Structures are given as C-alpha cells and as structure tokens.
Amino acid sequence: QVQLVESGGGLVQAGGSLRLACAASGRSFAMGWFRQAPGKEREFVATSWSGSSTYYADSVRGRFTISRDNAKNTVYLQMNSLKPEDTAVYYCAARVNAGFSITASRYDYWGQGTQVTVSS
C-alpha cells in the first residue's frame, strides 16, 4: 500500500512559480502529476518513471519539471511561468510498476490533492 500526501499549493500571480511536493509512504516505481479544474475532467500533467525518464503534457512542457528526492521518498513538481489556465487541484499519483503511462486509470494510488490558483 502506498500513501501520498501533497503539499505546496497556494495562490500565485501569473508568471510566478510554485513547487509542489508529494511524500510517499511506500515504494512506487512510477509517479505522475494530474490536475482537475471544476467541471473539467482530470488531465495528465507530468510523469517520472524508470529512473530518469520524464514526460510532460504539451500544455506544461518547458514550464514544469518533475523530479525526485529518493532519500525523502518525495516527488516534486516545479511550476514556472504559471498561467491562469494552470489553476486546478493538483494530484500526485503512484503506479506500482516501472511502466510509462499518462492515463489516470492506470495509476494505483492517489493523494488528496492540493489547490493551485494563478491570478491574472
């Protein structure tokens, strides 16, 4: 069983930066970040798997960076050049295998979510 706890959400002005963290209680082989705005479906943001492999949604590529701190068993999402369109609840998710996936249903465990609000 893997338990995930997100932190770092908040209010930031457009163009600003925010760093989200997700602490995992157990070992996970792949991690993902997803987001969901009110009335919208959950969408993929970024994933890290198989050590150093990463992949990003087109909407955030070049602005967001996913990284890991193995000693703390924590995954981060560094968000730069934030836009109002980035406003959403952000969720970290764990997939207990080494494979690549951008599909929410393929992830096994989810955090509670953290609100990110970007003002214009």
Side-chain angles (χ1 to χ4, degrees), residues 19-93:
R19 188 175 182 88
L20 306 183
C22 176
S25 64
R27 174 67 172 170
S28 59
F29 299 151
M31 298 293 296
W33 286 97
F34 295 78
R35 66 188 183 186
Q36 188 166 21
K40 303 293 181 64
E41 65 184 82
R42 190 172 300 176
E43 66 173 342
F44 166 78
V45 176
T47 184
S48 173
W49 82 102
S50 189
S52 59
S53 298
T54 60
Y55 183 78
Y56 300 90
D58 290 344
S59 60
V60 307
R61 187 174 294 114
R63 299 188 297 122
F64 290 11
T65 303
I66 186 170
S67 62
R68 293 174 180 261
D69 184 334
N70 291 329
K72 296 181 178 180
N73 204 24
T74 299
V75 63
Y76 301 92
L77 185 68
Q78 178 67 46
M79 305 184 293
N80 298 326
S81 301
L82 283 162
K83 305 174 181 179
E85 305 90 84
D86 296 317
T87 296
V89 176
Y90 283 69
Y91 299 90
C92 65

Side-chain angles (χ1 to χ4, degrees), residues 93-116:
R95 188 162 183 254
V96 189
N97 65 60
F100 163 83
S101 181
I102 64 170
T103 304
S105 63
R106 303 312 300 165
Y107 285 76
D108 302 295
Y109 303 98
W110 293 83
Q112 81 286 353
T114 186
Q115 177 71 47
V116 171

